[in-house]
Amino acid sequence: MYDLIIIGGGPAGITAGIYAARKKLNTLLISKDFVGQTGSAFEVENYTGFKEIRGLELMKKFKEHLEKFEISICEFEDVEEIKKINSIRDKSLNSANSFFEVKTDEKKYLAEAIIVASGGSSKPMGVLGEKKFLGKGVSYCVTCDETIVEGKIVAVIGGGNVGLEAGLELAGFCSRVYILEYASKVTGDEILQQKIKSDKKISVITNADVKEIKGDNFVKKIVYENRKSKKISQLAVDGIFVEIGAAPAVNFAKNLVELNDNGEIKINPRTCATKTDGLFASGDVTDVRDKQIITACGEGAKSALSAYEYLKKLK
Ligand SMILES: Cc1cc2nc3c(=O)[nH]c(=O)nc-3n(C[C@H](O)[C@H](O)[C@H](O)COP(=O)(O)OP(=O)(O)OC[C@H]3O[C@@H](n4cnc5c(N)ncnc54)[C@H](O)[C@@H]3O)c2cc1C
């Protein structure tokens, strides 16, 4: 029986792990990987202490920091379900009246408290041709696939921070980059908007409602409707990068938490507590407004300190 199981090896989970280990909690961290979404960030310029750093490099530093502490780690395991089990206090298990069972694709683990820090994964657009051309020109990860489109024409779908960053990164490789934004203006940070404006290779198309992706063996065209004029247009492109946000990875815990309309876990913003006693959540999987590396780290720390207070009261 662990004191605490943390699910997720992104910035939130790793920081929660560091805080839990420093509080001497007997902690297990389970994650499918230790790169999270940050691993796909080409260049991070807003994590304090690093003027600029590759996302993968930052995650390597986070993991090294975690490994300095005494903490059990299960890498490459996929959590499938969490159950809360009510029991009579069992001295041999050293457990409280209730505990949690975490089932992965390999094993079952028990703990008195849980932190869900499972972040999210890219949202698909759900348009015709998107599934068909996945891996054949359609991608959800610029860092992974940018070399395939070197010297070619690409479209980025989404004008938020991640979309604008993707556009700038691709402009370093591609001959032309179109950024298609559904709203009437892009929403990314002003500093990114300025960089986009001054890059001659990038064109922004607003009010664009993507309808279809066409091609033969590989992507050839993207079809979109102008939401105001209703005019349908086509762009000849060799690659399409979908950057319209992330869907929270919450399936395995959804019976124990309350979700908002975006499918994010509702938490108490002071403590990261969820509706289930002993189950905390932090980072992008929650309804926290600003989804960034630094905020995920802060929320991860907060959730571990709250779990510590909860466990102290049980003993
Ligand atoms: C392309 C891109 C660029 C970005 N650029 C920046 C930037 O420049 N600056 C910035 O501040 N933010 C940036 N972000 C946002 C930032 O990456 C996220 O806010 C941050 O990674 C959230 O951290 P997290 O720990 O909550 O979740 P994640 O990073 O998503 O980590 C979640 C972890 O949980 C694991 N997991 C999920 N489900 C399970 C399961 N069932 N079982 C086991 N493990 C599981 C995942 O494998 C992953 O390791 C960017 C995001 C993207 C996609």
Side-chain angles (χ1 to χ4, degrees), residues 8 11-12 31-33 37-38 46 78-79 118-120 165 284 292-293:
S31 192
K32 291 197 271 199
D33 59 64
Q37 295 171 77
T38 303
N46 55 2
D78 191 342
V79 172
S118 46
E165 276 169 16
D284 279 19
Q292 291 282 281
I293 302 163

Side-chain angles (χ1 to χ4, degrees), residues 7-13 30-38 40-46 77-80 117-120 162 165 243 249 252 282-285 291-294 296:
I7 299 154
I30 307 174
S31 192
K32 291 197 271 199
D33 59 64
F34 278 86
V35 292
Q37 295 171 77
T38 303
S40 343
F42 180 64
E43 198 152 77
V44 177
E45 286 187 335
N46 55 2
E77 281 190 44
D78 191 342
V79 172
E80 293 177 341
S118 46
V162 171
E165 276 169 16
E243 303 290 356
F252 59 85
S282 49
D284 279 19
V285 75
K291 293 186 166 48
Q292 291 282 281
I293 302 163
I294 204 152

Side-chain angles (χ1 to χ4, degrees), residues 41-43 46 142 160-170 192 196:
F42 180 64
E43 198 152 77
N46 55 2
V142 172
N161 276 337
V162 171
L164 298 191
E165 276 169 16
L168 287 167
E169 188 182 332
L170 285 163
L192 292 173
I196 293 281

